[in-house]
Coordinates of all heavy atoms in Angstrom, one line a residue:
Q1 N -67.4 -54.6 18.0 CA -68.0 -55.1 19.2 C -67.3 -56.4 19.6 O -67.1 -57.3 18.8 CB -69.5 -55.4 18.9 CG -70.3 -54.1 18.5 CD -71.7 -54.5 18.2 OE1 -72.3 -55.4 18.7 NE2 -72.3 -53.7 17.3
A2 N -66.9 -56.4 20.8 CA -66.2 -57.6 21.4 C -67.2 -58.6 21.9 O -67.3 -59.7 21.5 CB -65.2 -57.2 22.4
F3 N -67.9 -58.2 22.9 CA -68.9 -59.1 23.5 C -69.9 -58.3 24.4 O -69.6 -57.2 24.9 CB -68.3 -60.2 24.4 CG -67.4 -59.7 25.5 CD1 -68.0 -59.5 26.8 CD2 -66.1 -59.5 25.3 CE1 -67.2 -59.1 27.8 CE2 -65.3 -59.0 26.4 CZ -65.9 -58.8 27.6
Q4 N -71.1 -58.9 24.6 CA -72.0 -58.3 25.6 C -71.6 -58.7 27.0 O -71.3 -59.8 27.3 CB -73.4 -58.8 25.3 CG -74.5 -58.2 26.2 CD -75.9 -58.7 25.9 OE1 -76.2 -59.0 24.8 NE2 -76.8 -58.7 26.9
V5 N -71.6 -57.7 27.9 CA -71.1 -57.8 29.2 C -72.3 -58.3 30.1 O -73.4 -57.7 30.1 CB -70.6 -56.5 29.8 CG1 -70.1 -56.7 31.3 CG2 -69.4 -56.0 28.9
P6 N -72.2 -59.4 30.8 CA -73.2 -59.9 31.7 C -73.3 -59.1 32.9 O -72.4 -59.1 33.8 CB -72.8 -61.3 32.0 CG -71.3 -61.3 31.9 CD -71.0 -60.3 30.8
V7 N -74.4 -58.3 33.0 CA -74.6 -57.4 34.2 C -75.6 -58.0 35.1 O -76.8 -58.2 34.8 CB -75.1 -56.0 33.7 CG1 -75.4 -55.1 34.9 CG2 -74.1 -55.4 32.8
P8 N -75.2 -58.3 36.4 CA -76.2 -58.9 37.3 C -77.4 -58.0 37.6 O -77.2 -56.8 37.8 CB -75.3 -59.1 38.6 CG -73.9 -59.2 38.1 CD -73.9 -58.3 36.9
G9 N -78.6 -58.5 37.4 CA -79.7 -57.7 37.6 C -80.2 -56.9 36.4 O -81.3 -56.3 36.4
G10 N -79.4 -56.8 35.4 CA -79.8 -56.1 34.2 C -79.7 -54.6 34.3 O -79.2 -54.1 35.3
I11 N -80.1 -53.9 33.2 CA -80.0 -52.4 33.1 C -81.3 -51.9 32.9 O -82.0 -52.2 31.8 CB -79.0 -52.0 32.0 CG1 -77.6 -52.5 32.3 CG2 -79.0 -50.5 31.8 CD1 -76.6 -52.3 31.2
H12 N -81.8 -51.0 33.8 CA -83.2 -50.5 33.7 C -83.2 -49.0 33.9 O -82.5 -48.5 34.7 CB -84.1 -51.2 34.7 CG -84.1 -52.7 34.7 ND1 -84.8 -53.4 33.7 CD2 -83.4 -53.6 35.4 CE1 -84.6 -54.7 33.9 NE2 -83.7 -54.8 34.9
Y13 N -84.0 -48.3 33.1 CA -84.1 -46.9 33.1 C -85.4 -46.4 33.7 O -86.5 -46.7 33.1 CB -84.0 -46.4 31.6 CG -82.7 -46.4 31.0 CD1 -82.0 -47.5 30.8 CD2 -82.1 -45.2 30.6 CE1 -80.7 -47.5 30.2 CE2 -80.8 -45.1 30.0 CZ -80.1 -46.3 29.8 OH -78.9 -46.3 29.2
P14 N -85.4 -45.6 34.8 CA -86.6 -45.1 35.3 C -86.7 -43.6 35.1 O -85.7 -42.9 34.8 CB -86.4 -45.3 36.8 CG -84.9 -45.1 37.0 CD -84.3 -45.6 35.7
L15 N -87.9 -43.1 35.1 CA -88.2 -41.6 35.1 C -89.3 -41.2 36.0 O -90.0 -42.1 36.5 CB -88.5 -41.1 33.6 CG -89.9 -41.3 33.1 CD1 -90.0 -40.6 31.7 CD2 -90.3 -42.8 32.9
A16 N -89.3 -39.9 36.4 CA -90.3 -39.5 37.4 C -90.5 -38.0 37.2 O -89.6 -37.3 36.7 CB -89.9 -39.8 38.8
V17 N -91.6 -37.5 37.8 CA -91.8 -36.0 37.9 C -91.0 -35.5 39.1 O -91.0 -36.1 40.2 CB -93.3 -35.7 38.1 CG1 -93.5 -34.2 38.3 CG2 -94.1 -36.2 36.9
V18 N -90.2 -34.4 38.9 CA -89.5 -33.8 40.0 C -90.4 -33.2 41.0 O -91.4 -32.5 40.6 CB -88.4 -32.8 39.4 CG1 -87.7 -32.1 40.5 CG2 -87.4 -33.6 38.5
K19 N -90.1 -33.3 42.3 CA -91.0 -32.8 43.3 C -91.4 -31.3 43.1 O -92.5 -30.9 43.4 CB -90.4 -33.0 44.7 CG -91.3 -33.0 45.9 CD -92.2 -34.2 45.9 CE -92.9 -34.3 47.2 NZ -92.0 -34.8 48.3
N20 N -90.4 -30.5 42.7 CA -90.6 -29.1 42.6 C -90.9 -28.6 41.2 O -90.7 -27.5 40.8 CB -89.4 -28.3 43.1 CG -89.2 -28.5 44.6 OD1 -90.2 -28.6 45.4 ND2 -87.9 -28.5 45.1
S21 N -91.5 -29.6 40.4 CA -91.8 -29.2 39.0 C -92.8 -28.1 39.0 O -93.8 -28.0 39.8 CB -92.5 -30.4 38.3 OG -93.1 -30.1 37.1
R22 N -92.6 -27.1 38.0 CA -93.5 -26.0 37.8 C -94.7 -26.4 37.1 O -95.8 -25.7 37.1 CB -92.8 -24.9 37.1 CG -91.6 -24.3 37.9 CD -90.6 -23.6 36.9 NE -90.1 -24.5 35.9 CZ -89.2 -24.1 35.0 NH1 -88.8 -22.8 34.9 NH2 -88.8 -25.0 34.1
N23 N -94.7 -27.5 36.3 CA -95.8 -28.0 35.5 C -96.0 -29.5 35.7 O -95.8 -30.3 34.8 CB -95.4 -27.7 34.0 CG -95.2 -26.3 33.7 OD1 -96.1 -25.4 33.9 ND2 -94.0 -25.9 33.4
P24 N -96.4 -29.9 36.9 CA -96.5 -31.4 37.2 C -97.5 -32.1 36.3 O -97.2 -33.3 35.9 CB -96.9 -31.4 38.6 CG -97.5 -30.1 38.9 CD -96.8 -29.1 38.0
E25 N -98.6 -31.5 35.9 CA -99.6 -32.1 35.1 C -99.0 -32.4 33.7 O -99.1 -33.5 33.1 CB -100.8 -31.3 34.9 CG -101.9 -32.0 34.1 CD -103.2 -31.2 34.1 OE1 -103.3 -30.1 34.8 OE2 -104.1 -31.6 33.3
Q26 N -98.3 -31.4 33.1 CA -97.7 -31.6 31.8 C -96.6 -32.6 31.9 O -96.3 -33.3 30.9 CB -97.2 -30.2 31.2 CG -98.4 -29.3 30.8 CD -99.0 -28.5 32.0 OE1 -98.5 -28.7 33.1 NE2 -100.0 -27.7 31.7
A27 N -95.9 -32.6 33.0 CA -94.8 -33.5 33.2 C -95.3 -35.0 33.2 O -94.7 -35.9 32.6 CB -94.0 -33.2 34.5
R28 N -96.4 -35.2 33.8 CA -97.0 -36.5 33.8 C -97.5 -36.9 32.3 O -97.4 -38.1 31.9 CB -98.2 -36.6 34.7 CG -97.8 -36.6 36.2 CD -99.0 -37.0 37.1 NE -100.0 -35.9 37.1 CZ -99.9 -34.9 38.0 NH1 -99.0 -34.8 38.9 NH2 -100.9 -33.9 38.0
H29 N -97.9 -35.9 31.6 CA -98.3 -36.2 30.2 C -97.1 -36.6 29.4 O -97.2 -37.5 28.5 CB -98.9 -34.9 29.5 CG -100.3 -34.6 30.0 ND1 -100.9 -33.4 29.8 CD2 -101.2 -35.3 30.8 CE1 -102.1 -33.4 30.4 NE2 -102.3 -34.6 31.0
F30 N -95.9 -36.0 29.6 CA -94.7 -36.3 28.9 C -94.3 -37.8 29.3 O -93.9 -38.5 28.4 CB -93.6 -35.4 29.3 CG -92.3 -35.7 28.5 CD1 -92.1 -35.2 27.2 CD2 -91.3 -36.4 29.2 CE1 -90.9 -35.5 26.6 CE2 -90.1 -36.7 28.5 CZ -89.9 -36.2 27.2
I31 N -94.4 -38.1 30.6 CA -94.0 -39.5 31.0 C -94.9 -40.5 30.3 O -94.5 -41.5 29.8 CB -94.1 -39.6 32.5 CG1 -92.9 -38.9 33.1 CG2 -94.1 -41.1 32.9 CD1 -92.9 -38.9 34.7
A32 N -96.2 -40.2 30.2 CA -97.2 -41.1 29.6 C -96.8 -41.2 28.1 O -96.9 -42.3 27.5 CB -98.6 -40.5 29.7
F33 N -96.3 -40.2 27.5 CA -95.9 -40.2 26.0 C -94.7 -41.1 25.9 O -94.6 -41.9 24.9 CB -95.7 -38.8 25.5 CG -95.4 -38.8 24.0 CD1 -96.4 -38.8 23.1 CD2 -94.1 -38.8 23.6 CE1 -96.1 -38.8 21.7 CE2 -93.8 -38.8 22.2 CZ -94.8 -38.8 21.3
V34 N -93.7 -41.0 26.8 CA -92.5 -41.8 26.7 C -92.9 -43.3 26.8 O -92.3 -44.2 26.1 CB -91.5 -41.5 27.8 CG1 -90.4 -42.5 27.9 CG2 -91.0 -40.1 27.6
R35 N -93.9 -43.6 27.6 CA -94.3 -45.0 27.8 C -95.4 -45.5 26.8 O -95.8 -46.6 26.8 CB -94.8 -45.2 29.2 CG -93.7 -45.2 30.2 CD -94.2 -45.4 31.7 NE -95.1 -46.6 31.8 CZ -94.6 -47.8 31.9 NH1 -93.3 -48.1 32.0 NH2 -95.4 -48.8 32.0
S36 N -95.8 -44.6 26.0 CA -96.9 -44.9 25.0 C -96.2 -45.8 23.8 O -95.0 -45.9 23.7 CB -97.4 -43.6 24.3 OG -96.5 -43.0 23.5
E37 N -97.1 -46.3 23.0 CA -96.6 -47.1 21.9 C -95.6 -46.3 21.0 O -94.6 -46.8 20.5 CB -97.8 -47.6 21.1 CG -97.4 -48.5 19.9 CD -98.6 -49.1 19.2 OE1 -99.7 -49.0 19.7 OE2 -98.4 -49.6 18.0
Q38 N -96.0 -45.0 20.7 CA -95.1 -44.2 19.9 C -93.7 -43.9 20.6 O -92.7 -44.0 19.9 CB -95.8 -42.9 19.6 CG -95.0 -42.0 18.6 CD -95.7 -40.7 18.3 OE1 -96.8 -40.5 18.8 NE2 -95.1 -39.9 17.4
G39 N -93.8 -43.6 21.9 CA -92.5 -43.4 22.6 C -91.7 -44.6 22.7 O -90.4 -44.6 22.5
Q40 N -92.3 -45.8 22.9 CA -91.5 -47.0 23.0 C -90.9 -47.4 21.6 O -89.8 -48.0 21.5 CB -92.4 -48.1 23.5 CG -92.8 -48.0 25.0 CD -91.6 -48.1 25.9 OE1 -91.0 -49.1 26.0 NE2 -91.3 -47.0 26.6

């Protein structure tokens, strides 16, 4: 490792349910799990 690169604004990861999802309710459950204490 040489050095950490200073990135203006930082690096952030978003997620979302796709508009044409076949299982939007389950997709929301998955997102909630990713953001839960266990997922984090």
Side-chain angles (χ1 to χ4, degrees):
Q1 298 178 30
F3 60 89
Q4 182 178 332
V5 179
V7 177
I11 297 175
H12 305 282
Y13 283 62
L15 79 173
V17 176
V18 175
K19 197 71 167 288
N20 294 328
S21 168
R22 298 160 299 180
N23 302 293
E25 183 177 354
Q26 290 82 1
R28 287 192 290 271
H29 289 165
F30 181 83
I31 287 177
F33 185 83
V34 172
R35 288 180 52 83
S36 71
E37 183 177 343
Q38 184 176 1
Q40 291 294 298

